[in-house]
Amino acid sequence: MAIREHSSRKVVLLAMCLGLMLSMFNSTMVNVALPDLGSSLHASDTSLQWVATLYTLTYAAALLLGGALGDRWGRRTAFLLGVLVFSAGSLLCTVAPVMGLLLGARAVQALGAAIMLPQTLSILVHEFTEPRERARAVGAWAGVASLGLAAGPVVGGALLSITTWRAAFALTVLLGAVTWLLGRRSVPVERHGRPDGHRTLDVAGSVSAAITLAALVFALSEGENAGWSSVRVLGTLALSVLALAGFITTQLNKGRNGRHPLMPMGVWRSRPFIAANVGGFAYFAVFFGVLYFYSLDLQDERGYSVLAAGLAFLPMTLVMALVAPVTGRLMARYGAAPVMIAGLLVTAAGSLLLAAASDGSLADIEWRLGLVGVGCGLLSSSISNLAVSSVPDRLSNSASAVQNTFRQIGSTLGVAVLGIIVRGSGSGFAIGLQEGMAAIGSFLAVCALVSLLLVLGSPKTLRTRRA
């Protein structure tokens, strides 16, 4: 009986890993498909930018709602619904005849991902309750995510060399179908079905959170193009601040009245939870900043093809995938917080070494990217583990959604700030990129110090907690 249960939990782990990989693969694959997509649909540069931006906006706006749906309908139902919606969006992308329909399909994809992703981590938390097993499971989960990130540009580039961008979206439809079938068969209803008691959906909180995050991401995305002092950007930032004030007010009121807020404010009493979100923000800021601007460097400045540029990132992304399972064992022994802080420091070292790259040759850059990959591999699962393990299990959905939200904001802000530094340099793109990496490395070191100070006040997190 114990062997059968262990085997079934492995299948659940596989389903959750596939769900996460589906989103990661899609996020990096789309970037390499944009030139072919624009040519096929006769799209302007602005329209192509919205293919990525609209996905990011919708995803960020719906993440907290996605976590809440798991609490209301059950993690299993929310996961399957998210995969189904994502796959439907991918199918619509595959057959979209014009840019307008493609943009709508991308929003559907993002909504599905926002519903699905918080459930993957929460389901693992409830399946693997023993701290050491949980640490290893989350390590495997993060490793598969890294494989998805690595496979996106490589597989996307290979497909585009023999067919069109539609085949890349069709592949995500196939992966989505496999994930849905595996999840439906493996995730047990008794542990992940609809919770006992009636839980109302926090409509006011959902709307104010969506406006807060969508407005913030839009302002960060548009700042460089429209100008940071433009009415559009400043007005959107002001809207985000007002909506955030409304969100916090509604959450506090619901918490006092004993109702079910979208984000229980009690999670912020946990200093390790705050540290996990600092780490998540920094991790995605550097990862997506590096991915975006070194892609430009390789293709626009050095003249590499899309496929060759994708292959150039393999040292970083494959190292991430290899380190992630090792991270699980390290967390089982030392705890998630020390591993996360070590990851921030290693990533900072890799970023500073990129800033100091002397001859700028590809080989000189790749080993430094590999060091960044080591740090990101340490960060990926330790951040997630620390976030959900530092709050009660009943709040794991909310913790997962909040943590994903901070990652998303980090990815958008990282690209925006790096863009300001790189393009604002008077010495050209290459020197500007080095200056940007120096700033990122310093920022990561500060985040490591802040995280250390936060968890020092929680000795249990550093010494006894193994998840």
Side-chain angles (χ1 to χ4, degrees), residues 6 46 52 54 102 112 121 132 168 207 231 242 255 260 288 315 329 350 368 400 412 416 436-437 446 449:
H6 181 70
T46 302
L54 187 62
L102 179 69
L121 185 57
R132 290 178 180 272
V207 172
V231 174
L242 289 173
H260 300 290
F288 280 92
R329 291 193 286 272
R368 299 164 198 255
S400 178
T412 307
M437 293 314 301
V446 171
L449 177 60

Side-chain angles (χ1 to χ4, degrees), residues 53-94:
T53 303
L54 187 62
Y55 182 93
T56 303
L57 281 173
T58 308
Y59 176 68
L63 263 171
L64 291 177
L65 176 61
L69 290 178
D71 292 331
R72 178 175 169 79
W73 295 340
R75 293 177 291 274
R76 182 178 186 273
T77 298
F79 172 76
L80 294 176
L81 174 65
V83 174
L84 189 63
V85 172
F86 182 90
S87 301
S90 298
L91 180 60
L92 291 172
C93 287
T94 305

Side-chain angles (χ1 to χ4, degrees), residues 148-180:
L149 290 169
V154 177
V155 175
L159 283 173
L160 288 168
S161 66
I162 58 176
T163 181
T164 71
W165 58 272
R166 296 184 188 276
F169 282 114
L171 181 58
T172 62
V173 178
L174 177 61
L175 289 173
V178 173
T179 302
W180 188 87

Side-chain angles (χ1 to χ4, degrees), residues 32 139 227 313 324 327 331-332 338 383 391 398 422:
V32 301
F313 283 107
T327 302
M331 287 190 295
I383 288 166
V391 300
S398 298
V422 171

Side-chain angles (χ1 to χ4, degrees), residues 3 14-15 89 118 187 200 212 218 238 242 254 258 309 322 383 394 433:
I3 295 176
L14 176 60
V187 180
T200 58
T212 298
F218 178 83
L242 289 173
K254 283 183 176 289
L322 292 172
I383 288 166
R394 62 185 174 80
L433 184 55

Side-chain angles (χ1 to χ4, degrees), residues 143-342:
V144 171
S146 301
L147 282 175
L149 290 169
V154 177
V155 175
L159 283 173
L160 288 168
S161 66
I162 58 176
T163 181
T164 71
W165 58 272
R166 296 184 188 276
F169 282 114
L171 181 58
T172 62
V173 178
L174 177 61
L175 289 173
V178 173
T179 302
W180 188 87
L181 289 171
L182 199 61
R184 187 175 185 276
R185 295 191 62 173
S186 65
V187 180
V189 178
E190 60 271 17
R191 281 199 293 275
H192 305 288
R194 183 184 290 271
D196 296 332
H198 177 68
R199 296 177 68 94
T200 58
L201 191 63
D202 182 2
V203 177
S206 299
V207 172
S208 55
I211 294 174
T212 298
L213 295 169
L216 176 61
V217 170
F218 178 83
L220 294 176
S221 301
E222 288 292 298
E224 189 177 353
N225 294 328
W228 292 101
S229 59
S230 68
V231 174
R232 185 185 351 172
V233 171
L234 292 178
T236 311
L237 284 174
L239 175 62
S240 179
V241 171
L242 289 173
L244 176 62
F247 174 74
I248 293 173
T249 301
T250 61
Q251 301 309 288
L252 289 173
N253 287 338
K254 283 183 176 289
R256 287 193 211 99
N257 296 332
R259 298 159 73 185
H260 300 290
L262 186 68
M263 185 178 71
M265 300 305 288
V267 296
W268 295 105
R269 297 193 189 100
S270 168
R271 295 173 68 179
F273 179 75
I274 298 173
N277 285 297
V278 170
F281 177 90
Y283 163 40
F284 263 39
V286 64
F287 180 78
F288 280 92
V290 165
L291 202 63
Y292 183 81
F293 282 99
Y294 276 94
S295 291
L296 292 179
D297 181 52
L298 291 169
Q299 294 181 61
D300 295 346
E301 301 294 319
R302 300 169 186 263
Y304 286 91
S305 68
V306 172
L307 180 57
L311 290 171
F313 283 107
L314 281 180
M316 181 176 76
T317 50
L318 287 182
V319 164
M320 286 176 62
L322 292 172
V323 169
V326 178
T327 302
R329 291 193 286 272
L330 291 174
M331 287 190 295
R333 182 169 183 177
Y334 300 109
V339 175
M340 184 192 78
I341 293 168

Side-chain angles (χ1 to χ4, degrees), residues 86-162:
F86 182 90
S87 301
S90 298
L91 180 60
L92 291 172
C93 287
T94 305
V95 300
V98 294
M99 180 56 69
L101 290 178
L102 179 69
L103 291 175
R106 287 286 287 161
V108 173
Q109 270 192 318
L111 179 61
I115 296 172
M116 168 183 62
L117 280 183
Q119 319 311 324
T120 61
L121 185 57
S122 186
I123 286 174
L124 291 183
V125 167
H126 287 83
E127 280 294 308
F128 296 88
T129 55
E130 198 278 320
R132 290 178 180 272
E133 283 191 335
R134 178 186 291 179
R136 293 191 179 99
V138 175
W141 173 83
V144 171
S146 301
L147 282 175
L149 290 169
V154 177
V155 175
L159 283 173
L160 288 168
S161 66
I162 58 176

